[in-house]
Amino acid sequence: QVQLAESGGGLVQPGGSLRLSCAASGRIFSRNTMGWYRQAPGKLRELVADITWSGNTNYADSVKGRFTISRDNAKNTVDLQMNSLNLEDTAVYYCNYRSFSLVYWGQGTQVTVSS
C-alpha cells in the first residue's frame, strides 16, 4: 500500500499562484510516476501533469507554461507550482502514484480561483 498526503490547496485570485505538495509513504517502488490530476464539478478527472522517477515530465496543454511539476526522490514528494491561475483551474486536485500496475490516489485538495 502507498499513502499519499496532499497539501497546499486554497482560494486564490485570478492571476495568482499556489503550490501543491504531495508526500508518498508506505511500500514505494523507486521506479514510479507521480503526478496531479484535477476534477472540476460536472467534468471528468483529467491529467494536469506527471513526472517519472527519472524526471521526464508531461503536461496538459491547458497548463503548459503556467504550471511546473517537480519531485524529490529522496523524500518521495511531488510538487506542483501553479502560476497565472485562472477561473478554469478551479477543481479538486488529486495526487497520483503509479508503478507497474499499481495506482494510488490522494484524498484531493480544493483549489478555487475566484475574484
Side-chain angles (χ1 to χ4, degrees), residues 7-8 26 36 64 67-68 71 76 83 94 97:
S7 60
W36 291 92
K64 284 181 180 177
F67 292 11
T68 302
R71 65 183 292 162
N76 295 315
N83 298 328
Y94 296 90
Y97 165 103

Side-chain angles (χ1 to χ4, degrees), residues 31-48:
R31 295 198 176 195
N32 62 69
T33 298
M34 295 185 70
W36 291 92
Y37 287 68
R38 67 186 181 188
Q39 187 166 17
K43 295 188 176 181
L44 297 175
R45 190 174 298 188
E46 63 176 2
L47 173 70
V48 177

Side-chain angles (χ1 to χ4, degrees), residues 1-9 19-29 32-36 51 69-80 93-98 104-109:
Q1 289 279 356
V2 173
Q3 294 79 41
L4 301 173
E6 301 143 332
S7 60
R19 187 176 184 89
L20 304 182
S21 295
C22 176
S25 61
R27 189 178 181 184
I28 297 170
F29 295 100
N32 62 69
T33 298
M34 295 185 70
W36 291 92
I51 183 168
I69 192 169
S70 60
R71 65 183 292 162
D72 184 331
N73 289 339
K75 296 180 179 180
N76 295 315
T77 58
V78 62
D79 291 345
L80 185 68
Y93 284 69
Y94 296 90
C95 181
N96 173 270
Y97 165 103
R98 59 186 189 274
Y104 295 95
W105 295 92
Q107 79 283 0
T109 185

Side-chain angles (χ1 to χ4, degrees), residues 51-101:
I51 183 168
T52 68
W53 63 278
S54 59
N56 293 321
T57 58
N58 180 38
Y59 292 93
D61 287 343
S62 60
V63 307
K64 284 181 180 177
R66 300 189 299 123
F67 292 11
T68 302
I69 192 169
S70 60
R71 65 183 292 162
D72 184 331
N73 289 339
K75 296 180 179 180
N76 295 315
T77 58
V78 62
D79 291 345
L80 185 68
Q81 177 65 43
M82 305 186 293
N83 298 328
S84 301
L85 285 159
N86 56 52
L87 300 179
E88 290 71 36
D89 295 316
T90 295
V92 177
Y93 284 69
Y94 296 90
C95 181
N96 173 270
Y97 165 103
R98 59 186 189 274
S99 180
F100 302 104
S101 61

